[in-house]
Amino acid sequence: MAHEDHLLKKLWMRFALRGVQFADRHAALDRFYRVEDPWGMESPRELFRFGETNNLIRTHLGCPNRILELGCGEGHQSAELLKISNHLFGMDVSSRAVARARTRCPTATFAVGDITSTQIEKQWVPFDLVVACEVLYYMKDVPAALAAMQRLGKACFVSFVDSRRERLEPLIAAIPHVSWHRIEFQDLGWTAVWWRTTRDFSNHIN
């Protein structure tokens, strides 16, 4: 039965994710969450990635007081980011995912929306860190998303799977003073990138 459930989930993923990459297809991503944990975020692979992400942030960017997590999904990585921060604001385009994230992480704040949502600036800016893990390849305009991340935070952290390196690496490499690290788990690999932004927040009023 477990094997059959796994096969059904894989078939659902193939169907639900058709045409969503680099496309801003928010409705399709929301439908994807009709199945709980469709990405397998509780797997050893993802738990390892969460831990490595936290280690990199802690080592190179310290422990941020306030984190903005883009593409928070159901809050699996949010729960890990809360271990290294005092306040977390998560956003996702899926209302289904956000509802589960609120249950999983009751001390965090979540909203349905994307990086262009103006409510972020009114309530939280500047963030100490803006995180976008495994989410850039579902955005149509990646350069605009990266620019918005830098506008909202003092530092940024992104990660992406190897199969999307060719598309994303040149866009991120154009940002000054970025640092790179490779995360590997068995036969799967990700690229992690972080940098401090140059925006002056000294005159910002919260």
Side-chain angles (χ1 to χ4, degrees):
M1 183 63 71
H3 180 66
E4 292 178 359
D5 290 343
H6 178 70
L7 290 177
L8 287 173
K9 183 175 282 191
K10 289 186 68 174
L11 288 172
W12 170 249
M13 290 180 68
R14 288 183 184 177
F15 168 77
L17 291 179
R18 287 183 301 179
V20 302
Q21 294 196 4
F22 302 105
D24 281 346
R25 293 192 61 191
H26 298 172
L29 288 170
D30 190 45
R31 286 196 300 271
F32 186 59
Y33 283 101
R34 288 179 179 174
V35 176
E36 288 195 31
D37 191 19
W39 303 107
M41 288 295 183
E42 296 179 350
S43 66
R45 171 197 69 209
E46 296 300 334
L47 294 175
F48 176 81
R49 180 174 64 81
F50 297 161
E52 289 297 292
T53 297
N54 275 14
N55 289 338
L56 288 169
I57 293 172
R58 189 185 295 110
T59 299
H60 300 283
L61 298 171
C63 292
N65 181 41
R66 298 196 295 184
I67 292 180
L68 168 62
E69 181 190 11
L70 304 174
C72 65
E74 297 167 308
H76 292 89
Q77 187 156 10
S78 310
E80 296 301 311
L81 291 171
L82 280 168
K83 295 178 181 178
I84 59 169
S85 65
N86 295 320
H87 306 284
L88 183 131
F89 187 103
M91 296 199 75
D92 200 280
V93 299
S94 169
S95 59
R96 291 183 176 93
V98 166
R100 293 171 192 153
R102 286 172 176 152
T103 299
R104 179 168 281 108
C105 303
T107 63
T109 301
F110 295 97
V112 179
D114 58 28
I115 188 125
T116 63
S117 299
T118 56
Q119 61 180 302
I120 302 176
E121 289 196 64
K122 293 178 181 178
Q123 298 177 5
W124 286 73
V125 174
F127 291 91
D128 297 295
L129 178 65
V130 181
V131 174
C133 293
E134 314 309 303
V135 69
L136 288 178
Y137 21 82
Y138 299 108
M139 299 178 181
K140 185 175 183 179
D141 192 341
V142 175
L146 292 170
M149 289 176 66
Q150 297 182 89
R151 178 169 52 83
L152 295 169
K154 299 175 183 177
C156 300
F157 184 101
V158 303
S159 67
F160 48 90
V161 73
D162 279 354
S163 59
R164 301 296 175 263
R165 287 177 62 186
E166 184 176 355
R167 178 77 175 264
L168 293 176
E169 275 194 358
L171 301 177
I172 297 171
I175 300 170
H177 310 301
V178 297
S179 297
W180 305 78
H181 180 82
R182 181 169 172 77
I183 300 172
E184 294 183 344
F185 181 84
Q186 296 177 356
D187 59 347
L188 188 63
W190 302 267
T191 297
V193 192
W194 61 91
W195 65 96
R196 296 189 183 276
T197 64
T198 58
R199 183 178 176 187
D200 182 7
F201 290 100
S202 59
N203 295 322
H204 185 86
I205 300 175
N206 285 307

